[in-house]
Amino acid sequence: MPTGHFLCHGVSWTREGPSLALASPQGERTSLDLPASNQASSEQVCGGGFNLGFRLDDGPGSRYCLGYSKALNGGERRSFPCPTRTTAERGYQCGPCFARDDFRYMHDVHRSGVAPGGLAQYLAQEHWLYIATFADGSTKVGTASQRSKWTRLAEQGAVVARYVAQADNGRVVRVLEDTVTRSAGLPQAIRSAAKTAALARPLPQQRLKEANDDAAAAASRLLKREIDIDGYRTSYQVWDPPPGWQQVLAAHAPVYPLSLGAGEHGGAVRAVLGQVALLVLPEGEFLLDLAQLRGRRLELGEWRSPAIAVQQELF
């Protein structure tokens, strides 16, 4: 495990598994691989499994700029650190980095038509419209590029999802997304805290599938009958979640009760679902929302969480 001081960029996923994306104080990017799953018992994991320990370097509520991205010729995306390493003003960026970021045009380009050349090439690739359902049955509509078709849903923490349309480009898919939100009432975002809380008491898999089926059917009806644009085809592809996610769902673990605003935290990670780690401590298993670390400065090392007073109602 890398040790030292880092700026956390959140959890990223590939087909090989999840990792905690980090940047050194000099802006060099690195990552810490996390286990997608671990079939060992809680006792075995505590004894010799994957350990994650960190101490928050900054004050409570401090969140730092994660820099900006440029869309290069050919549609490639390149990230740059914040030149001044200052605090974030909006979301995860300072004002100057937001102004430099090509991807700030992304969500309005289908209305404004404004996009830098590299972003226009990025948007020219095929995009997918998906319907994602989370552990409590809440459901959203979203988009993913061809390159991020699978990883987008893995990073979102969907439990059940399907792709309902394949669009020729990013402009068309955002028209579809806005139409589904407006006409079918599906939101385009769900808070990370709500996703984490839902994992403590997940609905049965069949109910989640039914919720996703119903929302996907409503979206499909709109796509087939009520959207008068060209450049897309309806789809009905089921998304395959990463192996091991059932460990997090089956744990019915409570949300990690200690504040991540400051202090030392750590334990053994048994599995990861989306941005949430199943953390094993002497008191039991807890759901640790790693999304809360995004934009935070932390020191990785052999840190451990302080003792937790376990209450029966948590379980």
Side-chain angles (χ1 to χ4, degrees), residues 128-130 149-150 153 161-165 235-239:
W128 294 83
L129 187 75
Y130 65 77
K149 179 183 177 184
W150 183 86
L153 284 161
R162 68 183 68 244
Y163 309 98
V164 293
S235 175
Y236 204 73
Q237 295 183 29
V238 176
W239 175 71

Side-chain angles (χ1 to χ4, degrees), residues 150-217:
W150 183 86
T151 56
R152 175 73 171 160
L153 284 161
E155 290 172 358
Q156 291 262 321
V159 177
V160 181
R162 68 183 68 244
Y163 309 98
V164 293
Q166 181 181 14
D168 289 349
N169 57 61
R171 290 181 173 87
V172 169
V173 81
R174 279 164 180 78
V175 173
L176 303 182
E177 182 184 34
D178 284 354
T179 302
V180 171
T181 293
R182 183 173 59 252
S183 300
L186 290 179
Q188 296 180 12
I190 294 177
R191 292 171 50 246
S192 175
K195 297 177 188 177
T196 304
L199 290 171
R201 295 178 176 85
L203 294 178
Q205 191 74 16
Q206 183 59 33
R207 287 185 61 184
L208 297 178
K209 181 180 181 301
E210 290 169 356
N212 191 259
D213 286 344
D214 290 345

Side-chain angles (χ1 to χ4, degrees), residues 36-88:
S37 64
N38 189 324
Q39 298 298 332
S41 68
S42 297
E43 293 78 8
Q44 290 171 319
V45 173
C46 281
F50 178 90
N51 291 310
L52 173 66
F54 58 90
R55 180 177 65 177
L56 277 300
D57 275 353
D58 44 35
S62 299
R63 199 170 297 278
Y64 289 85
C65 178
L66 296 181
Y68 60 98
S69 295
K70 288 292 186 182
L72 309 179
N73 290 336
E76 294 292 333
R77 181 172 185 157
R78 183 177 176 186
S79 297
F80 298 86
C82 176
T84 58
R85 302 171 193 164
T86 188
T87 53

Side-chain angles (χ1 to χ4, degrees), residues 10-20 34-36 130-135 140 142-163 190 192 195-196 199 238-246 248-249 271-277 288-291:
V11 176
S12 298
W13 276 84
T14 68
R15 285 286 189 175
E16 284 68 47
S19 61
L20 194 62
L34 301 171
Y130 65 77
I131 306 295
T133 299
F134 302 90
K140 61 162 292 218
T143 71
S145 68
Q146 178 65 34
R147 297 175 188 175
S148 63
K149 179 183 177 184
W150 183 86
T151 56
R152 175 73 171 160
L153 284 161
E155 290 172 358
Q156 291 262 321
V159 177
V160 181
R162 68 183 68 244
Y163 309 98
I190 294 177
S192 175
K195 297 177 188 177
T196 304
L199 290 171
V238 176
W239 175 71
D240 57 316
W245 277 29
Q246 286 300 326
V248 180
L249 293 168
V272 179
L273 190 160
Q275 303 286 310
V276 179
L288 178 63
D289 182 9
L290 295 174

